[in-house]
Amino acid sequence: MVSGGTGREGRGPLPLLGGAGWCRRSVWQRRAHRLRVTLRGQGDALSGGWHRSRAPRHHRPSDVPWLPDAPPEPTALVPVALSVDQLSAEQALGMKEQEWTGPEALCPGWQEEEVSDGEGPEDSKHPDPTAHAYEVLQRTLRLEGMPLTVDRTGQPRSGFGQLDMTVCILGSPTAFLPILLEGGSRCPGAMVLCLAPAWASRVPSETSPGTWSLLLSRGVSFEAGGCTALEEFVPPRRATYVTGTFGSEGSWEGELARDLDCPTGGSAPLAHWLEDPLLSRWLLSARAGLPVPPTLAFTTGLWETLPEEPKPPGVRLVRLQDPRGQESLVQDEVDAFLEGSTMQPYDQVAVRLSGWRWRGTDPRSTHRKVEGKAVAQAVAALLKGLREEESVLLEALVPTGRLPTLPPRSAAPRLPMALRICTVVCRSWGDRPQLCQVACTVGRAEVPVRHGSLLPLGLDSSLRQWGLADAAQRQALAGRLREAAEASMAAVLAVEGELSPAQRGGARAHTDVLGVDFLLACVDDTLELVALSTNCLRCLETCLLVEGMGHDVGQPAGDVPRLLAECLLHRAQCRLVEGKDILLIGAGGASKSFVWEAAREYGLRIHLVESDPEHFAAGLVETFLPYDSREHRRDEEHAEHVLEMLRARGLRPDACLSYWDDCVVLTALLCQRLGLPGCSPAAIRLAKQKSRTHQHLQRCRHGRPPPAAFAVPCRRLRSHGDVEQAAGTVPFPAVAKLEFGAGAVGVRLVESAGQCHAHAAQLWHDLRADADHPGIGLGWGNTMLLMEYVPGTEHDVDLVLFEGRLLGAWVSDNGPTRLPTFLETAAILPSCLPADRQAQLVRAALRCCRACGLRHGVFNVELKLGPAGPRLLEINPRMGGFYLRDWIRAVYGPDLLLAAVLLALGLPPVLPSRPSPRQQLAGIMCLASEHGQALRGGVMEALQGLQRQGLVRLNPLFEEAGGRYEEPCLSVACTGDGPAEACGRLLGLCQALGIDSPQYPVSHFLSHFK
């Protein structure tokens, strides 16, 4: 039975990243919600489109059902051109000069290497593998200038509970050492290295039937400053995340990690298919849509999970039930492959065995393309000893693109070179692939370029050496490499989601760190990235070597240990919150509907206290506790009633929190009486009442500058008499608003005492109780305040504080508000401000929160920024509202909701120490008064369709309702590589859909974002 194909007949040319010098050719598809970018050649891999530079393919283990419904469809976006004749000012080598001269003169940049995935204790051939591994650890620590491990086994450690994080690394002490050291600095004691199977045991899980918990009785723990300790754990310590050097079949690391109840970064079965050339190439081509070397693969027996569809470009699969008597079929397939269009650009092929048993081996033989009979005989000979789930590969030998001629420094001729590009990708926050590092190895073309065989270089340096002189072209190639590597990881995660727990090695087993190798080839005078294979640790070791070499010459620390340590620690923290009982006060409206999905995602057991007995969330939580707490001036009494309800149901929450503005004081009271972490009720009350916030800060005059520098003069308004008194101290124009308000409802610019009287009279008449406008603080009364108007641009700062320590801060910009009501119109993230101006905002927000006693939680601070620096508008003692949680997660990765849960449990959330935005988001608010008719007339359907394609981001906010006290009903956002692109797309969308109008000038609202 034969599957696959090699023809490209009927396909038109596929455009490449356009620009000078770029020719036609293949593209590969990115996910619908991301920008599509094309890499040359992928569409030609099966057909005659491979020209002069294609690379071979690899295969994979049997229990991996690859099958998508269809292969990726090419998209015709035009990327940046990288023409060979632009590599340098020197003359590029002609195609004739790239001919191979002998069977060994092949570009081995794509070949499998013999370096193993780190030496594990069982592989060392040492009489005492554990002692040897320990000695290797000590030697490595000494060479890195770290203190040697302290033996503390004489004083066993105890006291580990359900909220203690344990990231367990099984096996090699060297492969993960930089990550262990970084993790030890971030979370001292959380990283534990297990060097022997006797140090751990498996017990049936108490929370997940059919799975196992991994308990550590001994391990090497990592502390701050590179300190390590060999420790005994009594009782044994429960692992919350496990990964390691999963080696050969039946290795103790793989057996300990199988079917665990905690997240597991890989497994022996997953390692088997990632290391199999055929399977990894099938994945890279069929699922990631990347160009791969032309390959003809022969398998025997039943390999049910190796799919017949889709037919990936560049790979043809021939299934032989029995190789005996199939010589003629083999000869026919070999002849068709050698004479086919995909092999037209190549002169040589290699025959090799593929499978876990053969990883890291060189080709068995190489042949000229014209030697069809000899090739078929070589294939047939290897088929005779083939085992189940193994294959014989016949692959084109693809040369690396040749270096251009450089200025002569000697009379000696320049020899052909080979370039291997290895990348490390991790599964970052929100399961998004993130490229961590790139390393390149350059060697002689006739000598295989294997991981660990030569000293690597960085990508930019390698491309310079290669002759790519134009910085813009190097940057473009680096961008395409990032997209290709991250597409590979996305394909791996998608396929793993289709596997059964048995096929993955456990229900919680997933690939968190992936290595992907690429070849830089030359096709029709154009550079092309060709995906070669995937691996578990080899690319990681190469990239860590690059960073270590940089440290030797005084370069700052690289990103790989930091990014991977954060990845592992984040996975472990997600495990910690699973099954925790969370008392949630207040459900909120449509803008908070993300909470219920997040609760399912994180495995939280929500016990909801909500005033509306008919709230839609009643059926989405573990326990629904209807209780009317809308009269918040009686929160002390409400707290007692809620405690009685908890006792009556036998509920003992692990944490208590609220993201609903009205309920923050009640939440603080409950935390205090339940003995749970959180801010004091006094601090929350101080922040909740706006006039008290500013008056308190005005009295805080210690520090440089003191918190008083950020406060704004204001006066409380309870009657018209207060208006007259306030008018004598607060200059006009001023801002009149509700003392406990939210969402800018009732806010107005007043230019005289008369206007203030009129506005106060109207507001006191219209807004008296919570029923008049729910969720804006009327449960505290309708007292107002008059506040000095502060000129400048408006910004939000979202802070994460743990016991006063700043863990994370994100700055977003707001567009010009609609005066005189100050209704929000537009926003952008990341901020367009310079870093030092953002730092001013963050420090001002931090000083104000600390001065008010807000030292533990997630807080949203609104500020104005003028020439003299920041001024405070108000502090919201809860997570930022509207779109902020969604945007921060999309741009930076971390989830403010998860951070709030961890803080409520008393744990410091792991957040990026150096947050790096992945995209720019610019958004516009829609109002029922301006856009309600259009939204009901088909615009909303169009927006939802665009959202499904990943072209816009929608955040429903409030029910459509116009009137005097209107709130936005919808946020519409577009992405881009920078502010100009994001704003340009958003403006074009708003003009096309009728959101932009003379009455609602979107271009004006976006004008601040430059």
Side-chain angles (χ1 to χ4, degrees), residues 259 262 303 477 728 866 894 907 922:
D259 295 323
C262 67
W303 200 348
L477 185 58
L907 302 173

Side-chain angles (χ1 to χ4, degrees), residues 226-384:
C227 297
T228 56
L230 179 62
E231 297 185 299
E232 296 277 357
F233 306 117
V234 180
R237 185 174 177 177
R238 188 180 303 272
T240 52
Y241 179 90
V242 175
T243 190
T245 52
F246 303 115
S248 58
E249 192 73 39
S251 67
W252 66 268
E253 298 98 332
E255 290 304 311
L256 283 179
R258 183 179 290 274
D259 295 323
L260 295 182
D261 60 359
C262 67
T264 309
S267 65
L270 291 179
H272 283 202
W273 69 259
L274 285 176
E275 296 284 352
D276 188 311
L278 174 59
L279 297 178
S280 65
R281 287 191 190 171
W282 193 286
L283 167 72
L284 293 169
S285 178
R287 300 301 292 265
L290 299 176
V292 297
T295 305
L296 176 64
F298 294 89
T299 65
T300 60
L302 293 176
W303 200 348
E304 296 179 354
T305 53
L306 183 62
E308 298 185 29
E309 296 291 341
K311 298 178 175 61
V315 178
R316 179 171 176 80
L317 177 63
V318 179
R319 299 175 186 263
L320 304 174
Q321 298 299 329
D322 187 344
R324 292 174 296 183
Q326 300 290 330
E327 290 80 2
S328 60
L329 175 59
V330 170
Q331 183 69 65
D332 291 343
E333 289 293 336
V334 168
D335 290 342
F337 177 75
L338 296 178
E339 296 169 4
S341 55
T342 59
M343 280 299 301
Q344 184 179 0
Y346 308 109
D347 296 321
Q348 289 185 303
V349 293
V351 179
R352 66 191 306 166
L353 287 163
S354 180
W356 176 258
R357 193 162 57 114
W358 305 106
R359 63 193 178 101
T361 59
D362 284 334
R364 289 301 181 93
S365 59
T366 59
H367 307 267
R368 293 286 184 179
K369 184 170 64 173
V370 296
E371 301 171 352
K373 186 173 182 180
V375 172
Q377 291 174 347
V379 170
L382 294 181
L383 283 171
K384 294 177 181 178

Side-chain angles (χ1 to χ4, degrees), residues 406-447:
L406 297 180
R409 297 184 180 179
S410 70
R414 187 157 190 176
L415 299 175
M417 306 294 287
L419 173 68
R420 185 190 195 107
I421 304 174
C422 70
T423 61
V424 172
V425 195
C426 74
R427 185 164 69 117
S428 187
W429 276 270
D431 291 344
R432 294 189 308 178
Q434 180 174 5
L435 179 66
C436 300
Q437 181 61 286
V438 179
C440 301
T441 306
V442 181
R444 292 276 299 277
E446 69 273 14
V447 180

